[in-house]
Amino acid sequence: MGALQMTEKEQMQKNVEEFERLQDYMISTDKDSEGYKKMKRRYIALKVILTSSGINITELDMIKE
């Protein structure tokens, strides 16, 4: 394993942190904006990644869309 390769735990932590940060941006952005629509696509992808990895995002999900 190379030095730059993340462990599964590190990758999941990164995804959780990105999910939290992305939601903060979404909350402060107009829902009709192009930026919000792009963020929402990433939000959905992260929800799928985290859920399929067995992470319960119920408490983390502030958007709930």
Side-chain angles (χ1 to χ4, degrees), residues 28-45:
S28 64
T29 303
D30 179 12
K31 287 186 177 185
D32 294 325
S33 71
E34 189 62 32
Y36 186 90
K37 292 171 187 172
K38 289 180 180 184
M39 286 186 272
K40 188 171 179 185
R41 284 194 295 269
R42 182 60 181 154
Y43 162 82
I44 291 167

